[in-house]
Amino acid sequence: MNAIADTAIDRLQDALPDADWITDASRVARLSQDFAWYSPVLKRQLADKRADIAVRPRTEDEIRSVVAACAREGIPITVRGSGTGNYGQCIPLQGGLVLDLSAYNGFGWARDGVGRAQAGIRLAAFDDEARPHGWELRWLPSTYRSATLGGLYGGGFGGAGSVTYGPLAAPGNVLGVRVMTVEPEPRVLELRGAEALLLHHTYGTNGIVLELEVALAPATPWTECIAVFEAGDAGYAAALECAGTLAAAPGIVKKEVCFLGAPVPDYMASLAEWLPAGCHALLLSVAPQSESTVQEMVAARGGRIGYRKDAEAVRTGKKTLLEYTWNHTTLHAMKVDPTLTYLQTGFDPLRHREQVLALEKALGGEVLMHLEFLRTKDGAATCSGLQLVRFTTEARLEEIMQIHRDHGVHINNPHVYVVEDGKQGQINPAVVEMKARFDPQGLLNPGKLRGWEQRMAAAASTAG
């Protein structure tokens, strides 16, 4: 940093001597990173990005004091949970402060199908608190042991449970958020309903979320199992058809339906006992009352279920099957072959099976099929891809994404760090207006929201 900025950091610490400051260079560097290294593109682009200092507040008053001081000094703020994101959401592009909310983690309440907690609570801890009241979160990413509620909201999608409830963005999932402004005198406001979703998946660029109120699901003793299908094209088609039918079946109570086409199961080393070489597999989490129906549906399509754990065995085990799904599939595969990377894709609900088979024919061997079955935010049953890619060059990666688009498959590009270049897809004026309302100086995670950068450039041009 330059001398003026160094002085500003010094003044920040002097003004709040009792705050839990983190100044050790290695710890600050760690808190300035997430799992962006899944992408060779982001790994190259973000390798040298670091904050100058970090702080770990525990109360709303502490957060307010830090935010007020940063606003007075003009110091950029990057809000962080546990850093389990994949697109550089919590990597600061312009230095400044990392506001680590992992210690702001109190559980509020769970009743009548609704729960509330502070943003830093870990998802597993939330469920531990909610289950005695008969409720659990509607969705869990595979990182649920460490990921925070605020982090899932700010940079995530959904996860296990989205097969029933859709993503977080589906109406009725997120009910309210408590948000702090970035100003010399910070204000705290409550946003409800559709307005609350204007801060969802924006990487903490347009408001500091303190608490979330979310709809819950009935607590269920989930059974986990693996359905295996024979190697070859016939087994692939049977496994794909079975996954889609299970996911869409309204009478089957389920939390997770994951399809792994060969050779992806071969990368799940610690599940090798239940995954014969070359097989295709479904990783499933279903309610006990639905298990016999699932077994019948799998057997009718030539598959078999070997691995099975009831809820108590899952609870006492070291790992759940959910920790082999979603982007944990990518992690397990990259441990075996670090040259792999991945895609994020959305298939057409009306023809997803046709699209998957066509892409397997076009790109099989180079792109390895991993599908998560879910409902869209509008309720349609479909699947989302987290395909593994044998990476060669960035140019070929772009070609592969274009081939998917040519087949009518939507790309949520995981190799970019700007909000509009990824899942959002375009500038949303309402999101930009929310930033103007909650972050008028543009200090939150600068460089990640293109709509704001364009707004500021237009304002400067007019002023000039």
Side-chain angles (χ1 to χ4, degrees):
M1 293 188 68
N2 59 48
I4 295 176
D6 285 338
T7 302
I9 294 292
D10 291 340
R11 287 198 300 267
L12 183 65
Q13 291 179 267
D14 291 342
L16 302 168
D18 296 329
D20 185 7
W21 296 110
I22 300 165
T23 58
D24 176 75
S26 62
R27 293 180 66 197
V28 172
R30 182 180 64 80
L31 291 171
S32 300
Q33 295 297 310
D34 63 9
F35 282 73
W37 54 267
Y38 275 26
S39 163
V41 181
L42 294 181
K43 184 177 180 179
R44 172 182 59 79
Q45 292 176 340
L46 301 176
D48 62 344
K49 305 303 181 186
R50 299 287 188 276
D52 300 286
I53 194 168
V55 68
R56 186 172 288 127
R58 289 173 171 78
T59 69
E60 185 175 308
D61 285 343
E62 289 181 1
I63 297 171
R64 179 182 287 105
S65 296
V66 170
V67 169
C70 286
R72 290 192 296 269
E73 295 289 346
I75 295 173
I77 301 170
T78 302
V79 183
R80 173 192 170 94
S82 296
T84 58
N86 304 107
Y87 330 117
Q89 295 104 313
C90 69
I91 297 179
L93 301 180
Q94 299 180 17
L97 172 98
V98 165
L99 183 66
D100 179 357
L101 293 185
S102 61
Y104 186 67
N105 56 18
F107 179 80
W109 45 264
R111 56 179 179 264
D112 301 325
V114 179
R116 191 172 180 105
Q118 292 174 346
I121 192 170
R122 294 190 178 192
L123 300 172
F126 187 106
D127 270 359
D128 287 343
E129 295 281 358
R131 284 197 186 103
H133 301 281
W135 302 101
E136 65 184 27
L137 287 165
R138 288 184 170 184
W139 1 250
L140 287 179
S142 61
T143 53
Y144 70 92
R145 293 187 195 271
S146 55
T148 64
L149 184 61
L152 176 61
Y153 171 80
F157 170 79
S162 292
V163 67
T164 299
Y165 296 100
L168 269 76
N173 278 335
V174 176
L175 304 177
V177 294
R178 181 175 168 87
V179 189
M180 181 177 289
T181 65
V182 179
E183 300 174 290
E185 296 293 336
R187 295 168 292 128
V188 174
L189 296 92
E190 179 83 7
L191 305 180
R192 307 293 300 182
E195 193 176 35
L197 287 174
L198 293 174
L199 279 73
H200 167 52
H201 214 277
T202 57
Y203 309 171
T205 58
N206 64 346
I208 298 174
V209 175
L210 302 175
E211 296 179 7
L212 286 114
E213 187 174 311
V214 297
L216 303 177
T220 301
W222 299 104
T223 297
E224 295 185 346
C225 52
I226 300 177
V228 173
F229 294 78
E230 65 181 14
D233 293 345
Y236 187 103
L240 179 63
E241 194 272 336
C242 188
T245 302
L246 284 173
I252 295 176
V253 181
K254 61 264 180 184
K255 193 177 186 76
E256 173 67 10
V257 178
C258 168
F259 169 89
L260 303 179
V264 179
D266 296 345
Y267 291 110
M268 306 298 109
S270 52
L271 295 177
E273 178 182 351
W274 297 278
L275 295 170
C279 76
H280 315 290
L282 307 183
L283 309 188
L284 307 170
S285 178
V286 300
Q289 67 268 29
S290 296
E291 187 178 357
S292 61
T293 305
V294 170
Q295 290 173 339
E296 291 173 3
M297 294 177 74
V298 169
R301 291 159 178 80
R304 61 179 177 81
I305 291 179
Y307 177 103
R308 176 194 178 278
K309 284 188 176 181
D310 63 21
E312 181 59 21
V314 172
R315 186 186 67 81
T316 58
K318 291 183 178 179
K319 267 188 180 172
T320 71
L321 209 55
L322 299 185
E323 291 164 285
Y324 294 88
T325 65
W326 293 86
N327 246 335
H328 258 71
T329 304
T330 311
L331 179 62
H332 287 290
M334 291 182 71
K335 286 181 178 179
V336 177
D337 182 356
T339 67
L340 291 170
T341 186
Y342 75 116
L343 297 178
Q344 291 185 167
T345 57
F347 289 81
D348 186 334
L350 298 179
R351 56 190 183 103
H352 60 265
R353 198 175 305 166
E354 170 193 332
Q355 290 173 319
V356 170
L357 293 173
L359 285 166
E360 178 68 12
K361 183 177 181 180
L363 294 168
E366 184 178 15
V367 178
L368 316 181
M369 199 63 73
H370 164 206
L371 303 172
E372 295 290 343
F373 283 79
L374 48 80
R375 292 192 178 277
T376 68
K377 66 180 181 180
D378 299 316
T382 187
C383 57
S384 178
L386 287 166
Q387 298 96 320
L388 299 173
V389 179
R390 300 191 191 280
F391 180 76
T392 51
T393 67
E394 292 183 22
R396 178 56 182 165
L397 185 60
E398 288 292 335
E399 289 175 358
I400 290 170
M401 288 191 282
Q402 186 57 49
I403 291 169
H404 280 75
R405 296 185 187 102
D406 293 342
H407 281 79
V409 176
H410 180 74
I411 294 288
N412 294 320
N413 192 347
H415 304 285
V416 293
Y417 58 77
V418 173
V419 170
E420 293 91 342
D421 293 346
K423 179 173 176 285
Q424 187 166 298
Q426 60 185 358
I427 292 173
N428 184 342
V431 167
V432 178
E433 287 301 323
M434 193 64 74
K435 184 173 179 68
R437 178 179 172 187
F438 285 95
D439 180 28
Q441 295 174 248
L443 296 178
L444 283 175
N445 213 351
K448 304 277 182 69
L449 192 64
R450 174 171 291 108
W452 179 259
E453 305 297 327
Q454 291 186 3
R455 178 181 177 131
M456 291 298 98
S461 175
T462 301

